[in-house]
Amino acid sequence: MIIPVRCFTCGALIGDKWQKFSDRVKRGEDPSKVLDELNIKRYCCRRMMLSHVELIDEVLKYETYG
Amino acid sequence: MNKIEVAFRKLEENYAEFVIEGITPAIANAIRRTAISDVPTLAIDEVAIVENSTVFFDEIIAHRLGLIPLKVDTETYDVLLECYEEGKRDDCVAMLTLEVEAEKPGTAYSGHLKFAGFIGEFARLASAEVKPVSDLVPIVKLAAGQKLVLEAYAKVGVGREHAKWQPVSIAAYKYYPEIRIIKRECGEEGKKCADACPKGILKWSNGRLDLIPEKVEECTMCRACEEACPEVIKVSWDDSKFIFRVEGLGVIPVAKVIETALKRLIKRADSFVETLEKSIQTRS
């Protein structure tokens, strides 16, 4: 739904790095290089980013507040 | 008793690498486990939701808030630690508030959390501000017109109770590698051996196999070199010497985590001796 705050396995903070990661990958950069530059070293934290699907944007479309 | 020696290879605010010599695996593991699960930190534990018209349930938001690491300075930390050890964790609660109303689609970030002071008896001792380690952790996304208003109460706790109170993400050790080259002048086979090492610890030149001394600590003891040429090299380890790696979450400096872990461990051992003596006395 939304990026988890911490890595499921080691507990490192990863939530704050999602936006940067997503933006740069969408621009066509190599995900592995972006992860290195964001200093996400372990494969437990790297899969948090690589396997994440930001579904919350789809859900927001159907909200009728305001 | 053996003399214990410690040498730091790296010491940064959030990362430490050091070698301890002269301890047993049991003690090394006790230090590791204490650092992860018995060093108290501050994390949001109770949330009062005033208004929530976002797509997330109240409890999802509360859970995400709990996982956000909160930074405290060392003086405040000492006060919180004392308060926890005296069993008065409800007397040193930090209150934070959050109020986000979206006029256009947006995100509620950890940076929107505002520190509103300490509550309880210990409050007068703690003057410093409590704030998230990072201001960019998304809590929830909001569509236009949605609103999130809440009060959050951060309490002191330990990782044993819930992982949100863990002060470190990595606290690990490995044995100190001992690599013995049996046959230095080994011709072509030495090249095979050096190439097998994934960490590039071995060097082969002019038919001579050598270790690169400054890289020895990188050895993972995978024994790929042994497999490649069993006659030439032997890999073993010293079980009284350990390479520790500790990576902090930024809540308190890692040096402080290690120090607190050791103090807590000693306290535990002391209280064990005390209990033991008491039970012996009551028996006789």
Side-chain angles (χ1 to χ4, degrees):
Chain A
M1 190 73 121
I2 192 168
I3 186 77
V5 179
R6 295 196 191 191
C7 169
F8 290 158
T9 305
C10 72
L13 188 68
I14 46 128
D16 59 338
K17 298 177 187 88
W18 166 256
Q19 200 54 53
K20 230 176 241 167
F21 174 78
S22 156
D23 288 349
R24 288 179 63 177
V25 171
K26 270 181 202 152
R27 232 182 290 141
E29 280 188 64
D30 175 19
S32 111
K33 216 186 100 208
V34 180
L35 286 167
D36 287 340
E37 282 170 21
L38 288 171
N39 209 16
I40 303 172
K41 286 169 281 181
R42 288 178 293 279
Y43 64 51
C44 62
C45 306
R46 290 169 86 94
R47 62 91 205 258
M48 296 300 296
M49 293 289 184
L50 292 171
S51 60
H52 176 65
V53 183
E54 189 89 344
L55 275 176
I56 190 165
D57 298 320
E58 307 303 314
V59 179
L60 283 175
K61 288 178 196 161
Y62 302 100
E63 277 299 317
T64 50
Y65 276 94
Chain B
M1 207 159 151
N2 287 341
K3 208 177 137 208
I4 299 171
E5 269 178 69
V6 182
F8 274 88
R9 296 287 185 264
K10 250 185 215 162
L11 183 59
E12 290 156 23
E13 171 94 12
N14 290 328
Y15 185 73
E17 215 176 290
F18 54 98
V19 177
I20 308 186
E21 208 177 339
I23 57 172
T24 61
I27 291 178
N29 197 37
I31 295 169
R32 179 189 72 83
R33 289 191 56 157
T34 315
I36 293 172
S37 69
D38 206 34
V39 173
T41 57
L42 202 62
I44 292 171
D45 195 38
E46 258 177 64
V47 179
I49 310 263
V50 180
E51 195 181 334
N52 174 21
S53 54
T54 68
V55 290
F56 277 176
F57 292 124
D58 296 355
E59 43 269 63
I60 300 177
I61 291 168
H63 176 241
R64 289 181 69 83
L65 286 169
L67 289 172
I68 296 168
L70 299 175
K71 197 178 171 70
V72 283
D73 65 52
T74 8
E75 287 102 66
T76 315
Y77 180 72
D78 288 334
V79 174
L80 296 173
L81 183 65
E82 194 195 329
C83 147
Y84 179 80
E85 286 185 339
E86 282 181 24
K88 292 178 180 167
R89 57 191 294 199
D90 289 331
D91 275 336
C92 42
V93 179
M95 191 172 106
L96 298 115
T97 58
L98 182 115
E99 193 174 344
V100 184
E101 191 177 0
E103 277 162 27
K104 52 184 197 319
T107 309
Y109 287 105
S110 56
H112 289 125
L113 281 167
K114 281 199 185 68
F115 178 63
F118 278 96
I119 303 165
E121 206 186 300
F122 276 76
R124 62 198 156 78
L125 299 167
S127 53
E129 201 167 318
V130 173
K131 58 175 192 182
V133 166
S134 168
D135 283 343
L136 290 172
V137 184
I139 298 165
V140 63
K141 283 190 179 173
L142 301 100
Q146 292 183 340
K147 200 173 172 185
L148 179 64
V149 184
L150 56 86
E151 272 172 17
Y153 302 93
K155 290 185 185 174
V156 189
V158 290
R160 195 179 340 114
E161 200 177 325
H162 192 293
K164 68 183 173 186
W165 279 302
Q166 246 180 245
V168 292
S169 47
I170 293 291
Y173 63 83
K174 66 176 180 192
Y175 292 120
Y176 202 92
E178 272 175 354
I179 308 163
R180 215 170 68 243
I181 299 171
I182 303 162
K183 218 165 72 191
R184 269 186 201 287
E185 320 286 337
C186 50
E188 283 302 313
E189 204 177 347
K191 186 170 167 24
K192 224 171 70 194
C193 186
D195 287 345
C197 181
K199 297 282 177 183
I201 291 166
L202 297 159
K203 180 175 67 187
W204 184 82
S205 58
N206 302 327
R208 200 182 139 85
L209 188 65
D210 271 309
L211 274 174
I212 303 171
E214 64 271 18
K215 278 196 165 180
V216 171
E217 285 179 10
E218 281 177 36
C219 178
T220 56
M221 284 158 272
C222 67
R223 291 179 152 175
C225 55
E226 243 182 61
E227 222 162 88
C229 30
E231 309 290 297
V232 175
I233 199 161
K234 267 274 165 303
V235 177
S236 63
W237 52 85
D238 182 348
D239 65 2
S240 69
K241 198 171 173 186
F242 301 87
I243 303 168
F244 265 85
R245 279 190 308 132
V246 184
E247 187 189 280
L249 277 161
V251 182
I252 44 171
V254 274
K256 187 85 183 163
V257 174
I258 300 160
E259 187 197 318
T260 318
L262 288 169
K263 280 183 183 161
R264 300 265 299 164
L265 197 57
I266 293 165
K267 264 187 198 162
R268 276 193 152 200
D270 284 345
S271 82
F272 176 56
V273 173
E274 219 173 274
T275 329
L276 204 64
E277 278 171 350
K278 247 184 225 160
S279 68
I280 292 168
Q281 272 166 13
T282 45
R283 255 185 83 87
S284 56

